[in-house]
Amino acid sequence: MSDCIFCKIANHEIESNYVYEDDLVTAFRDMNPQAPTHVLVVPKAHYANIVDGVPAQTLAAMAHAVDEVAKKEGIRESGFRVVANTGDDAGQTVHHLHWHVIGGARLTDGMA
Ligand code: DGP
C-alpha cells in the first residue's frame, strides 16, 4: 500500500534500524521501545492484521524471524513476549500486520 509506513520500511523505501530480513519478512526496532529489546516483525507484503488472509508461508517466515531476533538479541533463553495487537479494541495503531518482540527485562502486564 502506497501510504503505509510499514510497507515503506519493510521494502527500504524508508530506512530503519533493521535487526533481521529475508525474502518475506523484515524486523526493525520499534521507535517507542517498551523494553531493552523491542523489535517489530513485519511481512514485506501488506496485510492489515493477522486475520487478513495471511499465507501460512508468511506466518512461518514471521515465526522464524522471531527466533532469529531472539537469538541476535540474546533473549531466546531468558524469555520474551510476542504481541500482535489486532484491531481497534487492541489499540492497533499501524494497520500493517506486525508482531512486537519484547524482552531483555522482566516484563510487566500491559506492555505493547
Ligand atoms: P501497535 O499498532 O499499537 O501494535 O504498535 C505500533 C508500533 O509501531 C508502536 O509501538 C510504534 C511503532 N511505530 C510506529 N511508526 C513507526 C515508525 O515509523 N518506525 C518505527 N521504527 N516504529 C514505528
Side-chain angles (χ1 to χ4, degrees):
M1 263 173 67
S2 59
D3 61 346
C4 171
I5 185 71
F6 283 4
C7 281
K8 290 178 177 165
I9 292 174
N11 293 287
H12 294 271
E13 290 173 49
I14 296 174
E15 292 301 315
S16 191
N17 194 344
Y18 299 100
V19 178
Y20 173 81
E21 180 166 17
D22 62 27
D23 288 348
L24 293 174
V25 171
T26 305
F28 53 90
R29 296 193 190 282
D30 193 293
M31 69 179 188
N32 183 24
Q34 305 295 307
T37 291
H38 189 163
V39 172
L40 301 172
V41 171
V42 310
K44 290 184 174 178
H46 185 87
Y47 305 96
N49 56 44
I50 202 167
V51 291
D52 189 24
V54 188
Q57 186 185 17
T58 299
L59 292 171
M62 292 179 72
H64 176 72
V66 168
D67 194 7
E68 292 297 320
V69 168
K71 278 190 267 194
K72 287 188 178 184
E73 294 290 302
I75 58 173
R76 195 169 186 263
E77 309 309 324
S78 54
F80 56 92
R81 188 171 288 163
V82 179
V83 175
N85 291 323
T86 304
D88 293 339
D89 278 0
Q92 183 181 4
T93 58
V94 179
H95 295 279
H96 178 125
L97 172 62
H98 54 282
W99 291 353
H100 298 255
V101 179
I102 302 165
R106 182 69 67 173
L107 302 178
T108 59
D109 289 343
M111 283 181 166

